[in-house]
Amino acid sequence: LAKTTQPISMDSYEGQEVNITCSHNNIATNDYITWYQQFPSQGPRFIIQGYKTKVTNEVASLFIPADRKSSTLSLPRVSLSDTAVYYCLALNTGFQKLVFGTGTRLLVSP
Amino acid sequence: EAGVTQFPSHSVIEKGQTVTLRCDPISGHDNLYWYRRVMGKEIKFLLHFVKESKQDESGMPNNRFLAERTGGTYSTLKVQPAELEDSGVYFCASSQTSGGADTQYFGPGTRLTVL
């Protein structure tokens, strides 16, 4: 299963755009890049998923270059409530189990 | 639509006792997963049910852990006898089967404390 690497932590101010980059050099053909968000005392919450190019939903955008060895989660105009841990995972369509790393702890300040 | 629910939210037991955790998946979801995070570590996969069958139980730590999903609806995870190192948060997730990368929806978790 593909291993992902992402920053341990990031700080931002309210209203800024936050980009979290994830490396996945050994990504497999049937791996999808999936991002989850987790608040304290809650379970992880699905944010966005993509295979290649760009995906956008009401919460975030996900950019995946052609070689798929990295991806960038973009959160536009963050607010205090976006303070959370963000996990980048490679979800294999065959195995279906999520392999969590340490995630990126995002702290948004006023 | 109701999300994934877990019971209890918190359980405190003594070493050697038995605890049973319950997970109710989203209605209609064939896939059910158990994960756990022990203190200071990452969230780890335990096992995966497809309906009532165990698809993958490669993450189960040892034979003190028994997971069941009778009838393919809710699932239970029993720890017997509990040890100190079993303390942590146990998450359940469920997903539909689409044939692709199925989105997993997580419950709030059960915090298990073994004294």
Side-chain angles (χ1 to χ4, degrees), chain A residues 2-43:
Chain A
K3 175 180 168 58
T4 61
T5 304
Q6 54 186 121
I8 294 174
S9 66
M10 295 181 71
D11 292 341
S12 179
Y13 292 106
E14 280 188 293
Q16 290 186 330
E17 178 183 74
V18 171
N19 296 307
I20 306 175
T21 298
C22 177
S23 297
H24 25 82
N25 291 316
N26 62 338
I27 192 168
T29 302
N30 54 349
D31 282 342
Y32 281 72
I33 301 304
T34 306
W35 286 79
Y36 278 78
Q37 174 192 55
Q38 187 177 26
F39 299 111
S41 301
Q42 295 186 24

Side-chain angles (χ1 to χ4, degrees), chain B residues 48-83:
Chain B
H48 170 201
F49 282 101
V50 178
K51 296 184 180 179
E52 66 275 11
S53 300
K54 292 177 184 175
Q55 179 79 7
D56 180 357
E57 50 184 330
S58 61
M60 294 289 266
N62 52 59
N63 59 10
R64 295 186 294 104
F65 289 75
L66 175 63
E68 295 181 320
R69 192 184 183 194
T70 306
T73 53
Y74 71 91
S75 174
T76 58
L77 180 64
K78 180 191 288 188
V79 185
Q80 179 181 31
E83 298 289 345

